[in-house]
Amino acid sequence: MNLYNIKHPEQQVNFAQAVRQGLGKNQGLFFPEVIPPLDNVDALLELPLVERSQAILSALIGEELPSAVLNQIVSDAFTFPAPLVKVEDNIYALELFHGPTLAFKDFGGRFMARTLAAIRGEGKITILTATSGDTGAAVAHAFYGLDNIEVVILYPKGKISPLQEKLFCTLGGNIRTVAINGDFDDCQALVKQAFDDQDLRKAIGLNSANSINISRLLAQVCYYFEAVAQLPKAQRNNLVVSVPSGNFGNLTAGLIAKWLGLPIKRFIASTNANDTVPRYLKSGQWQPNATVATLSNAMDVSRPNNWPRVEEIFKRNGWNLSELHSDSRSDAATETALQAMQAKGYLCEPHGAIAYDTLSADLQAGETGIFLCTAHPAKFKESVDRILGLDLPLPQALDKHNKLPLLSDEMANDFSLLRTYLLQR
Ligand SMILES: *Cc1c(COP(=O)(O)O)cnc(C)c1O
């Protein structure tokens, strides 16, 4: 698989280089040169998740990963289901939270960790990543205990749920976590600064497990196929998929699935009050506001770093950006949506509720809708309990970590401090 830097197309790398480097020159994102349309989509949809995903990823990545290696990575990574649950006659939830850290990021994180371990070559690797909540857990658990790979995770102090924090800041070992005095965009900016520092990069073998890493996005393509595979055949035309969006990696993966030939008519990019994209699509002006904290905190991103990939996909396919619907929901509207879903018999959490609400407002007669449920409701227990009048039991995975002490370090939003910290080990 060959990839180019969207900002500097003359910079070209293979899959292994793209996975190891994460970001290209000048913070440009890597994008595959070729997305090969699949001529056997109907047959693929008949296969079980793991076999189908092996076929899709092999078509995308090509010979660079020998098929025995790729097949092993996929069967080790995708060990949990992604059920499609009917919520209304023409609306389904795709539940992506049945992995070990109860969020969709387990798909990408587990695939990336195993891929990196397979292609790593010599020398030390340091994974530096910023999280708005769920990436941290998925990455920490995916890399925990891997030899010679250090993981450092930055997160905005006090701006992620206490349960989210417990899930990834209690591991220790090769996982270090740092609470930054700032918001998620600050954390993301620190990571980008580290990547711009060539000396640092070399000294510690810097890599990012953020959704800027192409391996994560390729893994996520697979569950869009899994969604359609579970849909009754009569409902596979006129399909609309609503994606709760923060950094827009999930949407990017969905668009790649469509490019490969998966029959999805259109997407809805759903956001909270951090609505840079819906405003941009209406006005044509890219004007990020300061990031605000919301109930759906994993989407508290005002400078979504995968957006250039979304535009690249539209450009290369000759699709018009006006075909991408996008809408935002306030916290108040999110609460109302959660309650409405509860009344219909479906228990959800804030991110999925936003995707459901924009979908039901936008769905036209004759269309079938799928909204992505990106996290387990118990991961947002504090809000969900309050809004729905429940006392959700903690799933085992969460309960175990909830009882352990936090091991995080604290740091001001200052790159020179982070640099020293990274060089310490
Ligand atoms: C990360 C995350 C999102 C946003 O996904 P992107 O790929 O960054 O757009 C949405 N919901 C949850 C629960 C998340 O953890």
Side-chain angles (χ1 to χ4, degrees):
M1 169 180 243
N2 291 318
L3 303 98
Y4 58 94
N5 177 337
I6 292 178
K7 266 194 195 165
H8 297 279
E10 73 283 358
Q11 185 189 10
Q12 307 209 345
V13 294
N14 62 22
F15 176 68
Q17 290 168 319
V19 173
R20 277 200 291 261
Q21 290 176 31
L23 263 180
K25 200 169 74 182
N26 224 340
Q27 308 182 352
L29 301 168
F30 291 122
F31 198 83
E33 218 163 71
V34 177
I35 303 285
L38 303 172
D39 52 18
N40 55 343
V41 170
D42 287 339
L44 285 174
L45 291 174
E46 300 294 322
L47 298 176
L49 171 68
V50 168
E51 258 177 78
R52 182 194 318 114
S53 302
Q54 289 165 338
I56 294 166
L57 289 165
S58 158
L60 276 166
I61 296 167
E63 287 167 4
E64 224 185 304
L65 271 187
S67 58
V69 176
L70 176 67
N71 290 351
Q72 191 65 48
I73 292 173
V74 174
S75 57
D76 287 348
F78 295 177
T79 50
F80 47 91
L84 190 73
V85 177
K86 190 172 188 168
V87 177
E88 293 175 27
D89 279 344
N90 59 342
I91 296 188
Y92 295 80
L94 180 67
E95 295 187 346
L96 299 172
F97 51 74
H98 295 282
T101 72
L102 309 175
F104 79 98
K105 292 190 173 81
D106 282 327
F107 283 95
R110 289 166 66 82
F111 180 74
M112 178 183 166
R114 285 160 178 79
T115 299
L116 195 60
I119 62 170
R120 55 169 304 162
E122 298 296 302
K124 173 178 168 166
I125 295 179
T126 302
I127 303 286
L128 175 67
T129 193
T131 181
S132 57
D134 289 333
T135 297
V139 167
H141 284 259
F143 284 92
Y144 182 60
L146 289 186
D147 278 346
N148 246 339
I149 302 187
E150 284 286 322
V151 176
V152 176
I153 299 171
L154 311 183
Y155 64 99
K157 181 170 149 57
K159 296 201 167 80
I160 68 176
S161 91
L163 271 173
Q164 277 180 321
E165 190 176 23
K166 283 283 187 169
L167 191 50
F168 72 98
C169 302
T170 52
L171 287 167
N174 63 328
I175 313 294
R176 285 190 288 169
T177 53
V178 187
I180 298 288
N181 280 303
D183 59 29
F184 174 65
D185 289 293
D186 294 328
C187 297
Q188 198 150 262
L190 286 171
V191 170
K192 286 190 171 172
Q193 257 181 298
F195 271 90
D196 277 345
D197 186 330
Q198 298 305 327
D199 294 340
L200 177 69
R201 223 167 139 159
K202 271 213 196 75
I204 62 172
L206 202 57
N207 192 305
S208 168
N210 241 323
S211 56
I212 51 181
N213 197 293
I214 193 72
S215 62
R216 283 187 36 176
L217 301 187
L218 298 181
Q220 290 175 240
V221 168
C222 300
Y223 55 65
Y224 286 90
F225 282 80
E226 177 66 4
V228 177
Q230 292 175 64
L231 209 55
K233 288 209 171 84
Q235 286 185 302
R236 289 185 192 174
N237 297 320
N238 291 322
L239 183 57
V240 182
V241 179
S242 178
V243 184
S245 296
N247 259 325
F248 284 72
N250 211 350
L251 180 70
T252 302
L255 290 165
I256 292 175
K258 178 176 163 75
W259 191 344
L260 285 168
L262 188 67
I264 294 175
K265 182 173 148 194
R266 62 189 177 91
F267 287 90
I268 303 171
S270 307
T271 75
N272 58 32
N274 297 287
D275 58 353
T276 307
V277 167
R279 283 185 295 108
Y280 171 66
L281 291 176
K282 278 185 198 93
S283 71
Q285 307 289 319
W286 185 262
Q287 287 172 327
N289 295 332
T291 308
V292 296
T294 72
L295 285 174
S296 46
N297 62 46
M299 310 199 301
D300 291 351
V301 183
S302 59
R303 298 171 191 274
N305 63 15
N306 271 298
W307 183 254
R309 285 184 169 135
V310 172
E311 292 211 337
E312 186 76 0
I313 292 171
F314 275 82
K315 197 170 78 190
R316 283 186 51 194
N317 282 283
W319 298 338
N320 196 309
L321 262 183
S322 64
E323 294 159 34
L324 177 63
H325 291 206
S326 185
D327 209 351
S328 67
R329 289 293 183 267
S330 65
D331 277 356
T334 305
E335 294 198 14
T336 310
L338 268 175
Q339 288 158 350
M341 297 171 91
Q342 183 185 33
K344 290 186 158 60
Y346 189 73
L347 176 64
C348 200
E349 55 71 49
H351 305 79
I354 289 178
Y356 165 80
D357 205 47
T358 57
L359 177 66
S360 43
D362 193 50
L363 205 61
Q364 307 296 310
E367 290 180 332
T368 298
I370 293 177
F371 62 100
L372 306 193
C373 288
T374 43
H376 191 291
K379 240 184 147 169
F380 294 90
K381 177 175 164 59
E382 297 89 352
S383 331
V384 173
D385 280 357
R386 174 182 60 77
I387 296 163
L388 300 181
L390 300 171
D391 182 11
L392 287 180
L394 280 189
Q396 223 184 359
L398 272 179
D399 194 40
K400 193 174 97 200
H401 291 279
N402 200 29
K403 295 190 172 108
L404 299 171
L406 285 179
L407 301 172
S408 295
D409 297 307
E410 244 187 84
M411 197 180 287
N413 176 19
D414 176 345
F415 179 64
S416 62
L417 292 176
L418 177 65
R419 192 175 197 281
T420 309
Y421 182 87
L422 289 171
L423 288 166
Q424 263 167 17
R425 264 202 224 179

